[in-house]
Amino acid sequence: MTDGVERARSLLDDAARALRAADVADEALGEYVEPKAVLGIRREPTIRSLGRVWRVGALLIGSTVETGGRVWATGRITRVTEAGRSQFVSVSAEVRRAYRAAAAKGHFEPGDTVNHGATPIPLDESLVGWDGVLFVEGDVPLVRWSPTAGAAVPLEEYLVDRVGLLVDPPRGATD
């Protein structure tokens, strides 16, 4: 294992410890599931729970036994609320409504935030030269806001900044 991969693991573990020690609220991690029809009867999609994570910008860091020690690239984010009726205002509004309905069917708590469509990031040698959100270049772990974003920053600086905002948010940010 390269030093950069080990450094990434260590930095992510330290971030998780800091978030846990500060009792920062975590969010749900889920998987959007479209069940197959049974006897020709179509069933409604749902979001299946995969555990809990902390959303740290472009990264989701595992916060529970099921997700601990793992990291994902942030995907879609849905707040669990009443889905409401279809109004055909726009395609994007209907997609958001469908995700809210799927989250409600997944038995998440009302008001909870559900992260789904997240991409698992392997914390192994594949990080070296990878073109994803988190990667290692020259034994330095780096992070970018999206796989297509050109600019990247050192993971250590990124986590210090993002975790710092979660642990000690600016006045008025959570009011």
Side-chain angles (χ1 to χ4, degrees):
M1 186 116 8
T2 69
D3 289 341
V5 174
E6 284 299 324
R7 183 75 181 132
R9 283 183 174 179
S10 175
L11 290 167
L12 291 163
D13 287 345
D14 290 348
R17 275 192 289 281
L19 292 163
R20 186 172 291 108
D23 202 26
V24 172
D26 59 7
E27 299 175 350
L29 176 65
E31 174 185 36
Y32 184 79
V33 178
E34 248 183 273
K36 295 183 189 235
V38 176
L39 300 174
I41 299 171
R42 188 172 166 262
R43 296 182 296 160
E44 294 295 316
T46 187
I47 296 179
R48 180 176 64 93
S49 177
L50 299 176
R52 308 286 296 178
V53 293
W54 289 291
R55 185 167 14 116
V56 182
L59 302 174
L60 301 173
I61 299 174
S63 66
T64 59
V65 172
E66 301 90 2
T67 60
R70 297 180 8 205
V71 65
W72 294 260
T74 301
R76 293 183 174 270
I77 302 163
T78 300
R79 175 86 55 190
V80 182
T81 62
E82 183 61 41
R85 292 189 334 230
S86 181
Q87 297 179 11
F88 301 103
V89 175
S90 70
V91 172
S92 62
E94 289 303 308
V95 167
R96 288 190 306 272
R97 188 193 68 71
Y99 283 136
R100 286 193 306 274
K105 286 187 183 348
H107 305 292
F108 295 96
E109 293 294 319
D112 200 2
T113 300
V114 181
N115 296 276
H116 55 100
T119 305
I121 299 173
L123 296 175
D124 59 23
E125 291 85 10
S126 64
L127 283 180
V128 178
W130 195 46
D131 61 356
V133 172
L134 177 64
F135 63 101
V136 172
E137 189 174 280
D139 279 340
V140 177
L142 300 164
V143 66
R144 56 175 78 105
W145 279 102
S146 75
T148 58
V153 296
L155 178 62
E156 183 170 18
E157 293 172 21
Y158 179 85
L159 289 174
V160 165
D161 182 48
R162 301 300 301 187
V163 170
L165 287 170
L166 291 169
V167 168
D168 188 24
R171 199 171 102 183
T174 59
D175 296 341

